[in-house]
Amino acid sequence: MPKQMFEKDEKVLCFHGELLYEAKILEVVQDSPSEPHQYRVHYKGWKASWDDWVEDDRLRKMNDENRETAQALKRAYHESTQKPAKTTASKKKGQLSDFGSTRGSEERNGSMPTTSRGQKRGRNAEIEDEDTFHNRPMIKIPVPDYIKSLLVDDWEEVTKNLSLIPLPAPKPANMIIDEYFDEEKEKRFPGSAEMDLLEEVRAGLKEYFDVALGRTLLYRFERQQYKEAIKAWTEGKGEWKGRTCAGDVYGAEHLCRMIVQLPEMIAQTNMDGQSVNRLREEMTKFLQWLNRNTQTYFTAEYESTNQDYKDQSKGVGS
């Protein structure tokens, strides 16, 4: 029987979209003893028309720790929505294959500058017009609320509890992508455009994951573990045998960290509106499937770290 986690009139923090907002529980109902509780919430400072019915996976207790989490999410959101720097125009493709371009990902990554500090750019360089950039098709991928809550828990485990996801993952990213592909392909005709799209997305996810993992998907505290993981999969001994890349080592948490970054990545490609819409549809299906299989793919327990690791992690760059 599901336990009631929150009370009527309790002040809470509630997920709405990507962020946590202060709210108050107005009503609690349960359709049957086997069903989860439903909470009607009112967001502080919002009109009553925004009142919402949610389950407890969207709610957090109102305490200092969760307030800090809410502020961290707000800061990260504002940083991700700041006006991007002008970028060098690339060759126009307008195809979904842009999504999986490793070279393009390297050039777009802000932590990998392509010019020396202080180098003067020529006025005739092919700098993209700002209006052109903002007129590009944008993509919004709806991430299921439960996966959002898992990502927040993941952030807390690593950055606040100083714990780590055990590696190598028993169900790494490449396996997750392949298992989704094997299930989804049964619903599509061989040789059809839909099947071609599925294969493209499969290849693109794997390729970008390997490129992005060490650059944008790790918290600072995980970088020492990543350094050790590279050594382990290079040596290929024991449980590391046959694992040759990040996609064979890291699992669902890091894969989902990448997926929430996709909108920013897509905004910096030359994909046309139709390709963007097709990609959004595919990613929505994938996330819905993953949301139904979280117990299979997400880490059940994080591992604690000793003082030696904590000391070493301080010396590894972010």
Side-chain angles (χ1 to χ4, degrees), residues 216-260:
T216 64
L217 305 185
L218 298 175
Y219 298 119
R220 179 184 176 89
F221 191 68
E222 294 176 303
R223 299 207 67 84
Q224 175 62 27
Q225 184 192 36
Y226 175 60
K227 181 179 177 182
E228 295 169 359
I230 293 175
K231 181 179 179 182
W233 86 55
T234 300
E235 293 176 349
K237 298 178 181 178
E239 62 182 343
W240 294 86
K241 186 176 181 180
R243 300 177 188 263
T244 60
C245 62
D248 295 331
V249 173
Y250 288 83
E253 290 81 5
H254 292 84
L255 180 58
C256 286
R257 291 184 201 175
M258 182 192 76
I259 291 173
V260 299

Side-chain angles (χ1 to χ4, degrees), residues 144-257:
D145 291 328
Y146 186 58
I147 288 183
K148 288 181 184 177
S149 71
L150 290 176
L151 288 174
V152 173
D153 292 343
D154 172 55
W155 175 81
E156 290 180 344
E157 285 287 350
V158 177
T159 65
K160 301 178 76 172
N161 298 341
L162 302 183
S163 300
L164 294 171
I165 296 173
L167 298 179
K171 294 276 190 177
N174 285 347
M175 182 184 294
I176 295 171
I177 295 166
D178 285 340
E179 290 186 359
Y180 169 73
F181 175 85
D182 290 341
E183 183 174 321
E184 182 65 20
K185 72 180 182 181
E186 299 300 322
K187 306 172 186 177
R188 311 195 186 192
F189 291 106
S192 66
E194 290 76 14
M195 178 60 80
D196 291 343
L197 176 61
L198 181 63
E199 292 175 345
E200 245 181 274
V201 170
R202 176 197 196 185
L205 282 174
K206 289 183 176 183
E207 185 176 2
Y208 185 66
F209 186 81
D210 283 335
V211 172
L213 191 281
R215 300 182 179 185
T216 64
L217 305 185
L218 298 175
Y219 298 119
R220 179 184 176 89
F221 191 68
E222 294 176 303
R223 299 207 67 84
Q224 175 62 27
Q225 184 192 36
Y226 175 60
K227 181 179 177 182
E228 295 169 359
I230 293 175
K231 181 179 179 182
W233 86 55
T234 300
E235 293 176 349
K237 298 178 181 178
E239 62 182 343
W240 294 86
K241 186 176 181 180
R243 300 177 188 263
T244 60
C245 62
D248 295 331
V249 173
Y250 288 83
E253 290 81 5
H254 292 84
L255 180 58
C256 286
R257 291 184 201 175

Side-chain angles (χ1 to χ4, degrees), residues 54-56 100 106 119 132 161 206 214 230 255-256 283 300 307:
V54 303
E55 295 184 7
D56 55 22
E106 292 177 355
Q119 180 177 343
T132 301
N161 298 341
K206 289 183 176 183
I230 293 175
L255 180 58
C256 286
M283 296 313 305
Q307 190 58 47

Side-chain angles (χ1 to χ4, degrees), residues 16 70 95 105 122 137 154 164 172-173 177 184 232 274 276 292-293:
H16 185 86
Q95 302 296 327
S105 299
D154 172 55
L164 294 171
I177 295 166
E184 182 65 20
Q274 182 180 5
V276 167
R292 295 192 298 268
N293 294 279

Side-chain angles (χ1 to χ4, degrees), residues 8 10 13-14 43 68-69 87 91 101 118 124-125 128 137 156 179 184 189 204 207 217 232 257 267 285 291 309:
K8 183 178 181 296
E10 182 177 353
L13 292 166
C14 182
Y43 297 101
E68 183 180 339
T69 298
T87 55
K91 181 179 179 181
S101 171
N124 294 327
E128 182 176 42
E156 290 180 344
E179 290 186 359
E184 182 65 20
F189 291 106
E207 185 176 2
L217 305 185
R257 291 184 201 175
K285 290 178 183 178
N291 193 51
Y309 178 89

